[in-house]
Amino acid sequence: MEAVTDVLDPDRELAERFRGGERAAFDQLVRRHQQGVWRLVRRYVKREADAADVTQLVFVRAFKGLGAFRGASSVRSWLFRIAINCSLSWLRDHRREQPTEIDDDAISEPAVAPGKLAAGEEGVRLRAAIAQLPPKQKLVLELRVFDDLSFKEVAELADCSENTAKVNFHYAVKKLRDILGGSHG
Amino acid sequence: MAEQHEQEIDELLAAYLDGVSELTPEERKRVEARLSELDVEGTRGMIDQLRALPPEGREPDWRAMEKRIAAAVDEVRVPWWRRWFVPVGALVMTAAAAMLWIHHTPDPEAAQPAPHVAMTKAVDAAVPVPAAQATEVWLDGQLVDVSDVDEDAVLGDLDAPDTLTADDDDGLLPTLHWVDNLDDRALDRAEHILEKKKS
């Protein structure tokens, strides 16, 4: 199974090259994953400037730790694990500073066309429903749907078995349908 | 029992819809057998809607982000010579301290004899040598050859009176060899005087 992971993980070679002293390999990893890491971080850290800071921190930690990375998981899920840890740590340190109701960035968003307004409202409803999910279901759902991780990777990040990840995903989707009512049935 | 079985299959439905290949053949078979009874389209629609959600917030300038990360990484990056600086420095300091300790022995006079002789003596001291061959001794920082010394001249001194203690006027104790010359009468008199002083 490990061998299959090695073959399937396109980042493994970059990690090896980095360990061999090639700094450019790390830059390539950054280019490949900065977007995914930022999106994950942004779900925890609501201010964009803070999310950028945390994203930077994630890669600095990855730079320090990549030499010791032995490939028990994929490089991407390893990076995402660092991102989750950094985000939670940042939230602990800045609990009082987090915006609670209205995001400053949301106020400055450009006006949307009337046609897109309905979709925008639907998105807000959907996000509000996701926020109501139990933490584990929410984590599994977001990692699966927004970060496009395999159930194996989701399980690694959620500290559960692959089957548990699948079951949590099922209940998350079911609960969302229940919360949103008939419009999604 | 049948309900529990159905629930187990239902729990795999969302995973099935989102990634059939990730289910085991057995799981897949069980889910597919149950599909006709469930609202598959509703679940699929929900997942599609979730996937269509735009990312939260405005995405940053990725080029700028990349440069920013590169700059932050450069700050923590340690050049190779600095990585070796501390261990190599410590090694050099230890070696220098060891050399100083070896070359600055506590007794500089002891280092006076030729190194060859000193080395020879050190080796000789480590190896047991028959008494007959031990003709050299280390005395007061100098090597003395005693093979030519007249034994009678040296050992004869052992029977001679200890002139050093008897005649040494510079000693800490007063010289009392005159006491041996007193006769019995003089001694009686001295004892008598001492008795008187006591009473």
Side-chain angles (χ1 to χ4, degrees):
Chain A
M1 199 63 193
E2 189 64 35
V4 173
T5 314
D6 285 353
V7 172
L8 293 179
D9 187 359
D11 301 322
R12 190 58 56 92
E13 189 207 335
L14 288 176
E16 288 296 332
R17 277 163 53 194
F18 172 76
R19 270 201 290 276
E22 195 181 324
R23 161 67 199 269
F26 184 80
D27 294 336
Q28 211 169 325
L29 275 177
V30 171
R31 265 194 298 282
R32 204 176 270 185
H33 293 294
Q34 59 175 347
Q35 205 161 338
V37 167
W38 181 85
R39 281 182 184 166
L40 191 153
V41 168
R42 181 63 179 75
R43 290 202 298 272
Y44 290 89
V45 180
K46 298 301 175 191
R47 285 200 193 97
E48 274 154 21
D50 296 334
D53 286 346
V54 176
T55 303
Q56 178 187 309
L57 181 66
V58 169
F59 282 105
V60 168
R61 289 213 182 149
F63 183 85
K64 288 178 183 169
L66 193 55
F69 174 70
R70 288 287 167 262
S73 60
S74 69
V75 174
R76 180 171 62 161
S77 59
W78 175 72
L79 269 175
F80 280 20
R81 159 67 65 198
I82 298 173
I84 291 172
N85 289 342
C86 285
S87 301
L88 292 175
S89 172
W90 191 93
L91 283 178
R92 266 197 304 276
D93 296 344
H94 300 81
R95 202 169 291 159
R96 286 160 191 263
E97 298 166 29
Q98 277 287 286
T100 50
E101 290 178 356
I102 301 170
D103 195 338
D104 295 343
D105 302 317
I107 295 169
S108 60
E109 290 264 336
V112 290
K116 288 187 177 176
L117 191 61
E121 282 173 357
E122 198 66 19
V124 171
R125 279 188 66 210
L126 210 48
R127 286 195 196 285
I130 293 168
Q132 291 178 48
L133 293 174
K136 195 87 163 184
Q137 287 178 21
K138 183 172 179 281
L139 177 66
V140 167
L141 181 99
E142 287 178 334
L143 290 172
R144 176 69 187 181
V145 173
F146 300 141
D147 300 321
D148 286 324
L149 297 182
S150 68
F151 279 114
K152 186 175 185 293
E153 289 173 314
V154 171
E156 282 165 7
L157 290 171
D159 281 330
C160 63
S161 71
E162 203 172 328
N163 194 53
T164 306
K166 290 171 186 170
V167 171
N168 269 298
F169 183 59
H170 163 77
Y171 282 115
V173 174
K174 189 169 183 288
K175 186 154 188 178
L176 282 182
R177 291 185 67 194
D178 291 345
I179 292 169
L180 294 167
S183 64
H184 294 82
Chain B
M1 191 69 181
E3 273 182 25
Q4 193 188 347
H5 182 69
E6 280 178 7
Q7 192 188 343
E8 281 173 14
I9 298 170
D10 290 356
E11 287 171 349
L12 293 170
L13 181 63
Y16 173 87
L17 292 174
D18 200 42
V20 178
S21 60
E22 293 183 62
L23 265 65
T24 63
E26 177 58 29
E27 286 174 335
R28 195 168 160 181
K29 205 171 164 184
R30 279 156 58 199
V31 174
E32 281 170 353
R34 172 100 170 110
L35 278 179
S36 56
E37 305 164 33
L38 296 168
D39 182 10
V40 177
E41 287 311 310
T43 305
R44 198 191 297 273
M46 182 80 255
I47 294 170
D48 288 346
Q49 263 196 311
L50 286 167
R51 286 201 192 282
L53 266 179
E56 284 184 79
R58 268 177 313 206
E59 295 201 350
D61 175 357
W62 297 118
R63 282 292 292 174
M65 174 71 85
E66 195 185 321
K67 281 182 184 169
R68 184 183 162 167
I69 291 167
V73 162
D74 282 337
E75 272 182 36
V76 295
R77 201 170 158 204
V78 182
W80 68 268
W81 58 269
R82 269 175 63 186
R83 221 175 306 156
W84 288 99
F85 187 79
V86 172
V88 170
L91 197 67
V92 168
M93 291 296 284
T94 309
M99 292 296 283
L100 279 172
W101 186 77
I102 288 166
H103 286 289
H104 291 266
T105 48
D107 185 7
E109 284 183 13
Q112 285 292 332
H116 173 70
V117 177
M119 283 298 287
T120 308
K121 290 302 108 191
V123 171
D124 287 348
V127 179
V129 178
Q133 292 178 7
T135 54
E136 292 177 335
V137 291
W138 188 259
L139 284 177
D140 198 20
Q142 287 190 334
L143 202 60
V144 178
D145 188 354
V146 295
S147 56
D148 297 334
V149 175
D150 181 9
E151 282 189 18
D152 293 336
V154 176
L155 297 175
D157 286 347
L158 293 174
D159 300 328
D162 190 353
T163 51
L164 184 66
T165 52
D167 299 332
D168 187 9
D169 288 338
D170 298 331
L172 291 172
L173 295 172
T175 53
L176 297 171
H177 57 270
W178 52 270
V179 174
D180 296 334
N181 298 329
L182 293 175
D183 57 5
D184 289 345
R185 226 178 127 189
L187 285 170
D188 285 343
R189 242 194 355 253
E191 280 177 4
H192 185 69
I193 291 166
L194 287 170
E195 283 292 321
K196 253 186 166 183
K197 276 193 175 177
K198 273 187 186 174
S199 61

